[in-house]
Amino acid sequence: MAPITASAPKMTGGSIELREPSLPVKLLTAGSAACVADLFTYPLDTAKVRLQIQGEAGVAAPVRYYITTAASALGAGGNGASMVVEHAAPPSQYKGMIGTVSTIARQEGPKALYNGLAAGLQRQMCFASIRIGLYDSIKSLYQQTLNGGKRNANNKNTNASISVRIFAGITTGGLAVLLAQPTDVVKVRMQAEARSSTGIKRYSGTMNAYSTIARKEGVAGLWKGTLPNVSRNAIVNVAEIVCYDLFKEYILSSGLLKDGVPCHFSAAVAAGFCTTVVASPVDVVKTRFMNAPVGQYRGAVDCAVRMMMKEGPIAFYKGFVPSFSRLVSWNICMWITYEQFKRLVLVAYNQPTMLNRHV
């Protein structure tokens, strides 16, 4: 392929500056790439959610049913009595990533592995489009501000400091959560719902989940767990995007690989591992809190404290293997797809000039 040139070329030190796609196109590109990644890795995400909420019944305060009966029935001397029935945590149903996936498929059917997929895709179009598609623009803005309003050569940000990248990741991650939180709540609840013996489900579908949650818990219920989710995604964004950014830059600058699929694959694997290690504790708390019924926890901190007291520190890394498998797989799919989409969009934006120059 011939070198790509700009549709409205600007000469900068003898080189031609490429015309960048518009912001809406960048957002759409990132969201679409994330949706492709979700389609391939969604069963692993469902397995991760089921493993994370396993044992939750033992963490929450015991469910008590107070039954007042006639004194003659219970021999309480005519004053009535209260009988307390406590529900203990059920034995572990899922073991390991492969075991969890196979158990869900066997007991509930393969379709159950994609419970909440519509909400998941809606989430990615809202969430990933902002946290990934907006990252380069925010990074440019922050770096330009530090440079006193001056742009880098060719408007590149390869020399952006780590602190600039971190703050850009935190900014886009936080903004994405505020917009996409309802889709995440619905996605987690539908993934967490195992088929009951009666066959009755909490929600008949994605739109029913939105309306049911809003009706029973108020609009605030759709933003349940926003604080832990903001914390989680600030961590995830920094670990995922910034690490990918740095690893990719290192691979290219050291000459280990050229800018292509092998480079993107290597950087994605490294970023996925870093993300899993630092984000798992917050992710487990977020999943349990968002899936819990109203009143089960006083807040995200209460949820974390109960987990620590009842299950110990290891509880914060429940579902680590499927989480790692899912994040690494998701990162590989997403970054490779995203890089190819970006390249195609860049070619499309600059194609007129390429044609004009060859005429």
Side-chain angles (χ1 to χ4, degrees), residues 59-71:
V59 178
V63 180
R64 292 178 171 86
Y65 299 95
Y66 295 92
I67 307 174
T68 304
T69 61

Side-chain angles (χ1 to χ4, degrees), residues 93 98-110 113 195:
Q93 181 181 8
I98 297 177
T100 302
V101 172
S102 62
T103 298
I104 295 172
R106 183 177 65 255
Q107 295 182 351
E108 305 171 45
L113 291 168
R195 186 172 62 186

Side-chain angles (χ1 to χ4, degrees), residues 316-332:
F316 292 94
Y317 282 92
K318 276 195 170 183
F320 181 85
V321 173
S323 184
F324 170 74
S325 303
R326 186 258 174 186
L327 276 173
V328 170
S329 302
W330 192 90
N331 270 272
I332 291 171

Side-chain angles (χ1 to χ4, degrees), residues 56 60-63 185 189 202-203 209 212-225 287-300 302-303 306:
E56 189 174 17
V63 180
V185 171
R189 292 201 183 182
R202 278 196 293 180
Y203 314 113
T212 301
I213 293 171
R215 185 177 64 256
K216 292 185 176 181
E217 304 175 36
V219 176
L222 291 170
W223 269 267
K224 185 177 183 180
T287 299
R288 288 200 176 187
F289 183 63
M290 289 198 306
N291 183 58
V294 179
Q296 182 166 313
Y297 301 115
R298 292 191 295 271
D302 178 54
C303 178
R306 291 194 192 188

Side-chain angles (χ1 to χ4, degrees), residues 29-103:
T29 301
S32 299
C35 286
V36 171
D38 249 26
L39 287 171
F40 282 101
T41 63
Y42 202 80
L44 296 177
D45 194 38
T46 299
K48 178 206 71 173
V49 169
R50 295 287 183 93
L51 283 167
Q52 286 178 338
I53 64 172
Q54 187 165 254
E56 189 174 17
V59 178
V63 180
R64 292 178 171 86
Y65 299 95
Y66 295 92
I67 307 174
T68 304
T69 61
S72 57
L74 294 177
N79 296 322
S82 294
M83 181 176 68
V84 180
V85 180
E86 296 193 359
H87 287 235
S92 296
Q93 181 181 8
Y94 307 115
K95 294 182 180 179
M97 178 191 65
I98 297 177
T100 302
V101 172
S102 62
T103 298

Side-chain angles (χ1 to χ4, degrees), residues 117-190:
L117 177 61
L121 297 180
Q122 291 167 10
R123 174 182 179 269
Q124 292 299 354
M125 286 306 299
C126 297
F127 182 68
S129 61
I130 294 176
R131 78 178 185 94
I132 298 172
L134 201 59
Y135 173 75
D136 283 334
S137 298
I138 295 295
K139 184 174 71 171
S140 298
L141 176 63
Y142 286 173
Q143 189 62 49
Q144 189 175 334
T145 301
L146 288 179
N147 291 343
K150 297 179 181 179
R151 291 185 177 184
N152 298 324
N154 292 329
N155 199 28
K156 299 294 183 182
N157 290 283
T158 53
N159 63 339
S161 65
I162 293 180
S163 60
V164 166
R165 300 177 203 234
I166 290 175
F167 281 115
I170 291 174
T171 301
T172 58
L175 287 173
V177 170
L178 293 177
L179 178 63
Q181 182 68 5
T183 63
D184 205 14
V185 171
V186 171
K187 167 183 166 288
V188 167
R189 292 201 183 182
M190 294 190 72

